Amino acid sequence: MKMGFKIIGKLIIGLIRTGIILSICVGILFVSNKWNQTMGVPGAPEGLTYFQYMGDKIEAAKSVEPSSCGWGMILSLAALGPIYSVVYTEAGIHPDWVIAKGIASDPDIPKDVADASWYEVPGIWWNTLERLSWTMLGEPARFGCEY
């Protein structure tokens, strides 16, 4: 009997471990596919990919004086972008939930996505991340950083 529980326990742990690894791999594939596609942000130059955009911003941050201005914005995007994009995506999909009611109105919160299906959520999240990146790094004069 004990042997049966050990085998079932190892099987369950193996399935959970495999599920986590597959989730991470699928996430990496999704992001690497999306960052090479044209950005869908209004005002972005036609044909500009997220990879090109971030590369341009990193190069620009190297030349900004004081250098902390450019790098500070990029580091704040790296630290807060994933959190904000998840919260904003959740607020857009479930506008009646506590999260949506507890945050201030922001133009980066997705519109017209209420009650989206589960398979639409990654695309909504990516579009939100692009808009946040554009807002944080694409309008530097608003924050006093000219790059």
Side-chain angles (χ1 to χ4, degrees):
M1 191 71 159
K2 275 185 163 180
M3 186 64 116
F5 285 125
K6 283 185 178 182
I7 292 173
I8 291 172
K10 286 185 178 189
L11 178 65
I12 290 172
I13 289 172
L15 287 172
I16 291 171
R17 189 177 300 146
T18 302
I20 291 170
I21 291 170
L22 280 174
S23 297
I24 291 169
C25 290
V26 167
I28 290 170
L29 287 172
F30 175 79
V31 169
S32 65
N33 177 44
K34 285 298 221 175
W35 77 357
N36 286 312
Q37 294 178 3
T38 302
M39 288 179 70
V41 177
E46 188 157 335
L48 180 69
T49 66
Y50 190 77
F51 185 73
Q52 292 169 328
Y53 173 71
M54 289 307 296
D56 178 57
K57 293 303 174 183
I58 289 171
E59 286 301 313
K62 292 177 183 177
S63 65
V64 173
E65 291 297 329
S67 61
S68 62
C69 179
W71 284 111
M73 293 305 295
I74 289 174
L75 293 175
S76 68
L77 174 65
L80 299 174
I83 297 167
Y84 275 107
S85 62
V86 169
V87 171
Y88 283 9
T89 300
E90 181 63 30
I93 293 171
H94 300 109
D96 296 330
W97 284 17
V98 172
I99 290 176
K101 292 180 179 182
I103 60 175
S105 178
D106 191 312
D108 292 329
I109 296 174
K111 311 270 187 286
D112 302 324
V113 295
D115 300 320
S117 299
W118 66 269
Y119 55 85
E120 296 172 312
V121 173
I124 295 167
W125 169 80
W126 180 259
N127 293 337
T128 305
L129 182 66
E130 280 185 348
R131 281 193 312 277
L132 279 168
S133 301
W134 188 260
T135 301
M136 289 181 80
L137 302 177
E139 302 171 6
R142 193 172 88 182
F143 300 105
C145 297
E146 295 289 342
Y147 56 135

